[in-house]
């Protein structure tokens, strides 16, 4: 199936056109088409054979011809032409924070730079300064951006790690003789980025497991192969480790390889004080050396006389003390979530209609869903004008009258302007069911200015939620600085909720922020920011962040039924 390949090419075309300084509407058309292609489950070749390519939203005559050309000959002449005009490597440069198409083009034309390493060398030897618009400060920012980029390279997002480990473990589970299989390491602890995926298997036929593993279609290269242990690189270049153990050691091995190292050190110390020795092979009596347990992870905690500690808490951040005192949180679960409150439709830069989103939300088992498109000034993301917003309110009412098992809330993700005012007038905001306010520009403001700006938006009586608080994109750009405690205090004071944005690169509010929110008595919501239907599944990732932040069901407002939720936000 070539759907994702073609979507990637359309995105690359959009980037190349941006470097060229081409028409912004054309660029947006390619990006929107790419997004729509990603969301289609059916093979494009099948759709094309039926002659239905033009039925796909955002695909007109021109783009459908380009898709047909690629399906027929495996290349797209327009894309090849653009690549001859502009070196493809420049696309990599744009991964650096603060480096857009204009600067990429400038550095290429003035200095012949095509790679990140070349750019770093030139910046270090101060050769960028003096080019038009490039000051010493710009050069420093670029060096910081490169350092940030390089530090993130090699770590994958939690979303990617969860998806690939599911595909891999689903295939390995089918092998006869495989008893148990889990992901361990930072993935099982649900850290926001993952260095390598660790997979643990118990099986009576380790050879078969290894052989299948290294030949999976997800594997590009085998780094090492042993009888009970192997390492590979995925197609995308990330590392995956696998270990096979015997069934009676599985629990001990799972605890060991889940980590964190700091948590395990504390657990082993406690064990020693009780006369046990814990290793990856089992739990032993210190004196006699007899094996007492090891098949189940639960045995470890039971023998220490404490409740089971969920993997997301195993960071030695107070979970052992809480377990001893009996005050471990009763963590929120995925099934507690009754709504997704941040979803984009075709009204802005999403790929689907209100009706399609409502039906998807029903399939997710939700009771309600809020469709929150961008506001009028956010041109590149298809911001919705006031007239169209009124049409959207009407369409939402119509969908609500047609569907009885789901309630669609008509909302917006309104842009917070530089001065903390909002991108729609109050009389429009007051007509909406739900208002998320987010920062999308002016990232370089000082911490004080940024905090003041956000707190001002929170004081607006129409704002219910602050979206993705720091604006970070993992591995791509750091968030802006903001005084979290001030924002959380304003959250409690004004009754404005903060969002955990489950989009894999955002995960913002993060785990530490969630925990601080709970301490200060602030509530949160967990939203996916879905632009296409399959992104509704990101909810699992958002719940994982909440769990790492020690949150319980009552800390999260979208666990409420729709009437209680609306009552809670209308208190403001
Ligand atoms: P990552 O992969 O960087 O995101 O983080 P982890 O936590 O998955 O680290 P990794 O893959 O190096 O090791 C997986 C687990 O194995 C780790 O969480 C704890 C355990 N482990 C690894 N090395 C050691 C060690 O030297 N001592 C102890 N006690 N445990 C270790
Ligand atoms: Ca790992
Ligand atoms: Ca590892
Ligand atoms: Zn959004």
């Amino acid at each position: 199936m070539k759907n994702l390949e073609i979507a990637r090419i359309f995105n690359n075309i959009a980037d190349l056109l941006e470097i060229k300084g081409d028409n912004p509407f054309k660029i947006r058309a390619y990006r929107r088409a790419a997004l729509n292609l990603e969301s289609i489950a059916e093979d494009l070749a099948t759709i094309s054979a039926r002659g239905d390519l033009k039925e796909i939203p955002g695909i007109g005559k021109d783009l459908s011809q380009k898709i047909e050309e690629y399906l027929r000959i495996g290349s797209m002449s327009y894309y090849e032409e653009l690549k001859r005009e502009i070196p493809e490597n420049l696309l990599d440069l744009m991964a650096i924070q603060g480096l857009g198409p204009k600067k990429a083009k400038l550095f290429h034309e003035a200095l012949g730079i095509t790679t990140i390493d070349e750019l770093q060398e030139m910046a270090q030897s101060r050769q960028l300064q003096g080019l038009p618009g490039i000051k010493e400060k710009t050069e420093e920012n670029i060096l910081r951006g490169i350092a940030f980029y390089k530090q993130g390279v090699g770590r994958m997002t939690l979303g990617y790690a969860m998806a690939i480990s599911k595909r891999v473990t689903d295939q390995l589970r089918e092998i006869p003789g495989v008893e148990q299989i889990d992901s361990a390491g930072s993935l099982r602890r649900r850290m926001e980025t993952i260095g390598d995926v660790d997979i643990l298997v118990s099986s009576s036929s380790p050879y078969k497991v290894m052989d299948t593993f290294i030949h999976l279609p997800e594997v590009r290269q085998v780094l090492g192969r042993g009888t009970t242990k192997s390492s590979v690189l995925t197609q995308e270049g990330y590392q995956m480790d696998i270990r096979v153990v015997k069934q009676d050691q599985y629990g001990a091995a799972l605890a060991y390889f889940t980590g964190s190292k700091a948590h395990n050190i504390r657990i082993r110390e406690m064990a020693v004080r009780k006369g046990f020795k814990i290793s990856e092979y089992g739990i032993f009596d210190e004196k006699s050396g007899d094996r007492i347990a090891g098949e189940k992870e639960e045995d470890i905690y039971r023998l220490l006389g404490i409740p089971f500690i969920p993997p997301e808490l195993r960071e030695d951040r107070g979970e052992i003390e809480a377990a001893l005192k009996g005050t471990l949180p009763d963590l929120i679960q995925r099934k507690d979530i009754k709504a997704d409150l941040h979803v984009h439709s075709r009204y802005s830069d999403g790929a689907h209609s209100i009706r399609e989103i409502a039906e998807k939300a029903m399939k997710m088992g939700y009771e309600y869903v809020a469709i929150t498109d961008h506001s009028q000034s956010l041109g590149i993301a298809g911001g919705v004008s006031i007239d169209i917003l009124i049409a959207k309110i009407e369409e939402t009412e119509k969908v609500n009258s047609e569907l009885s098992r789901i309630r669609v809330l008509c909302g917006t993700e309104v842009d917070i302007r530089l001065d903390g005012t909002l991108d729609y007038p109050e009389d429009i905001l007051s007509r909406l069911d739900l208002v998320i306010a987010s920062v999308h520009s002016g990232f370089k403001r000082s911490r004080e200015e940024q905090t003041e700006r956000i707190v001002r938006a929170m004081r607006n009586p129409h704002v219910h939620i602050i979206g993705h608080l720091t604006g970070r994109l993992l591995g791509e750009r750091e968030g802006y600085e903001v005084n979290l405690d001030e924002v959380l205090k304003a959250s409690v004071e004004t009754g404005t909720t903060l969002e955990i944005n489950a989009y894999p690169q955002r995960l913002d509010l993060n785990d530490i922020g969630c925990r601080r929110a709970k301490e200060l008595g602030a509530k949160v919501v967990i939203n996916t920011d879905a632009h296409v239907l399959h992104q509704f599944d990101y909810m699992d990732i958002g719940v994982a962040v909440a769990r790492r932040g020690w949150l319980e069901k009552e800390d999260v407002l979208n666990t409420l039924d729709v009437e209680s939720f609306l009552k809670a936000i209308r208190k403001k």
Side-chain angles (χ1 to χ4, degrees):
M1 189 152 133
K2 300 232 153 57
N3 298 20
L4 293 180
E5 261 170 69
I6 298 175
R8 191 181 53 84
I9 291 175
F10 280 180
N11 261 325
N12 285 352
I13 290 179
D15 286 343
L16 290 167
L17 290 174
E18 237 179 303
I19 294 177
K20 269 183 69 174
D22 213 302
N23 178 347
F25 289 99
K26 188 164 154 194
I27 295 168
R28 205 177 121 208
Y30 274 101
R31 292 216 191 281
R32 184 186 278 246
L35 195 63
N36 291 345
L37 294 185
E38 279 173 23
S39 69
I40 287 172
E42 195 180 1
D43 193 340
L44 282 176
T46 319
I47 302 177
S48 167
R50 260 204 326 268
D52 278 349
L53 281 178
K54 275 183 277 182
E55 302 295 310
I56 301 171
I59 306 293
K61 183 160 170 254
D62 178 43
L63 294 192
S64 71
Q65 278 170 359
K66 291 194 167 73
I67 295 172
E68 277 162 9
E69 181 191 2
Y70 191 82
L71 290 172
R72 208 169 50 240
I73 60 172
S75 71
M76 210 179 278
S77 47
Y78 180 60
Y79 180 45
E80 299 306 316
E81 226 171 82
L82 279 174
K83 284 198 290 187
R84 272 195 296 278
E85 235 175 288
I86 304 153
E88 203 180 354
N89 280 345
L90 286 187
L91 295 179
D92 297 339
L93 289 190
M94 285 167 68
I96 306 294
Q97 179 174 9
L99 213 151
K102 282 207 199 81
K103 286 198 195 101
K105 189 175 163 195
L106 172 69
F107 296 148
H108 172 62
E109 283 174 358
L111 301 167
I113 292 172
T114 53
T115 67
I116 291 172
D117 284 336
E118 284 167 14
L119 179 68
Q120 191 174 25
E121 251 180 70
M122 293 284 192
Q124 272 160 350
S125 55
R126 316 231 155 268
Q127 295 187 60
L128 305 182
Q129 298 181 23
L131 292 173
I134 308 296
K135 302 191 212 73
E136 196 180 333
K137 189 85 198 292
T138 329
E139 210 169 52
E140 280 165 20
N141 283 339
I142 288 172
L143 281 172
R144 267 188 65 211
I146 294 174
F148 179 74
Y149 173 83
K150 290 197 164 172
Q151 160 210 328
V153 164
R155 290 194 74 82
M156 55 200 121
T157 61
L158 176 60
Y160 170 84
M162 281 167 71
I164 190 139
S165 79
K166 182 173 186 316
R167 282 210 302 279
V168 166
T169 52
D170 281 352
Q171 293 175 78
L172 298 181
R173 199 170 284 118
E174 298 300 310
I175 304 170
V178 165
E179 286 136 0
Q180 292 193 70
I181 182 160
D182 284 283
S183 51
S186 53
L187 172 55
R188 184 155 179 252
R189 303 198 312 280
R190 299 291 192 252
M191 277 180 67
E192 61 194 24
T193 63
I194 307 297
D196 64 9
V197 170
D198 300 286
I199 293 171
L200 187 69
V201 183
S202 73
S203 172
S204 48
S205 46
Y207 179 85
K208 184 87 186 85
V209 175
M210 288 305 161
D211 199 51
T212 311
F213 179 68
I214 61 169
H215 290 108
L216 289 174
E218 283 76 12
V219 170
R220 183 176 81 196
Q221 191 190 334
V222 179
L223 299 174
R225 181 195 170 147
T227 46
T228 59
K229 213 172 122 175
S230 295
S231 284
V232 300
L233 289 185
T234 67
Q235 297 296 353
E236 293 79 9
Y238 295 111
Q239 191 172 328
M240 221 172 1
D241 291 351
I242 193 168
R243 285 180 193 79
V244 186
V245 300
K246 295 201 188 76
Q247 176 63 24
D248 63 351
Q249 300 173 346
Y250 190 75
L254 185 58
Y256 181 90
F257 291 113
T258 296
S260 68
K261 206 168 153 182
H263 172 89
N264 285 348
I265 288 172
R266 295 285 312 275
I267 291 290
R268 285 199 297 267
E269 284 169 2
M270 281 175 75
V272 168
R273 284 200 296 275
K274 292 201 176 256
F276 303 127
K277 187 177 163 295
I278 296 179
S279 75
E280 59 182 290
Y281 304 107
I283 307 160
F284 302 85
D285 183 288
E286 183 98 82
K287 281 209 201 82
S288 66
D290 291 345
R291 227 177 90 105
I292 329 169
E295 184 166 351
K296 293 206 182 70
E297 197 181 38
E298 286 81 355
D299 295 340
I300 294 175
Y301 296 95
R302 186 176 47 77
L303 284 167
L304 295 180
I306 55 175
F308 181 79
I309 299 179
E312 295 93 330
L313 301 186
R314 298 183 197 168
E315 298 291 349
D316 192 20
R317 290 181 185 159
E319 72 278 10
I320 291 172
E321 290 74 9
L324 285 165
K325 276 191 285 186
T327 56
L328 277 176
D330 182 9
L331 296 180
I332 182 172
Q333 298 178 44
R334 173 66 184 75
K335 66 174 167 56
D336 297 326
I337 300 291
K338 294 204 170 68
D340 196 334
L341 299 171
H342 186 162
V343 178
H344 293 267
S345 75
R346 220 179 275 155
Y347 275 94
S348 61
D349 55 352
H352 303 278
S353 69
I354 307 251
R355 169 96 191 196
E356 286 165 338
I357 291 168
E359 282 169 356
K360 175 66 180 182
M362 274 195 306
K363 279 203 202 106
M364 298 294 292
Y366 291 149
E367 206 181 293
Y368 51 113
V369 61
I371 303 181
T372 53
D373 288 296
H374 291 293
S375 57
Q376 50 187 348
S377 301
L378 221 59
I380 46 162
V384 178
S385 72
I386 290 174
D387 287 346
I388 294 179
L389 187 56
I390 287 164
K392 182 179 156 183
I393 295 175
E394 284 160 10
E395 188 183 338
T396 306
E397 279 167 12
K398 183 168 161 285
V399 171
N400 272 324
S401 69
E402 291 162 2
L403 301 173
S404 60
R405 284 194 297 119
I406 188 95
R407 169 88 174 267
V408 183
L409 304 178
C410 187
T412 181
E413 179 181 15
V414 65
D415 195 41
I416 303 177
R417 296 198 195 113
L418 289 177
D419 63 356
T421 60
L422 302 177
D423 188 31
Y424 281 132
E426 305 232 334
D427 61 321
I428 288 298
L429 292 176
S430 69
R431 295 185 56 182
L432 296 168
D433 301 314
L434 186 79
V435 175
I436 300 177
S438 309
V439 164
H440 293 108
S441 61
F443 279 43
K444 288 199 189 119
R445 304 271 140 153
S446 71
R447 180 176 154 103
E448 290 69 34
E449 282 173 297
Q450 209 66 272
T451 306
E452 212 182 295
R453 175 186 185 190
I454 291 168
V455 169
R456 183 161 181 206
M458 294 172 98
R459 293 201 193 290
N460 184 309
H462 302 290
V463 171
H464 303 116
I465 295 168
I466 297 294
H468 46 72
L469 182 67
T470 75
R472 70 169 179 181
L473 290 175
L474 290 167
E476 215 170 290
R477 73 173 183 224
E478 288 172 286
Y480 47 78
E481 290 191 52
V482 61
N483 184 330
L484 179 66
D485 272 18
E486 289 295 314
V487 171
L488 289 172
K489 275 183 220 147
S491 161
V492 176
E493 194 188 299
T494 62
T496 316
T497 310
L498 294 185
E499 170 187 81
I500 299 172
N501 189 297
Y503 211 81
Q505 283 166 293
R506 292 192 182 273
L507 306 190
D508 171 11
L509 214 50
N510 68 5
D511 50 356
I512 310 255
C514 288
R515 209 160 156 195
R516 188 69 185 144
K518 191 180 170 89
E519 266 169 27
L520 296 180
K523 302 281 184 206
V524 304
V525 292
I526 309 175
N527 293 329
T528 66
D529 209 344
H531 288 65
V532 294
L533 295 182
H534 73 83
Q535 294 178 341
F536 268 78
D537 289 337
Y538 291 163
M539 188 55 82
D540 288 330
I541 310 171
V543 171
V545 173
R547 288 171 63 89
R548 277 185 64 86
W550 291 51
L551 298 189
E552 301 175 280
K553 186 176 171 184
E554 49 271 26
D555 302 314
V556 178
L557 286 187
N558 49 332
T559 61
L560 296 172
D561 62 67
V562 64
E563 291 309 328
S564 312
F565 171 77
L566 289 173
K567 216 169 121 198
I569 62 167
R570 279 175 194 154
K571 269 200 205 119
K572 185 162 178 180

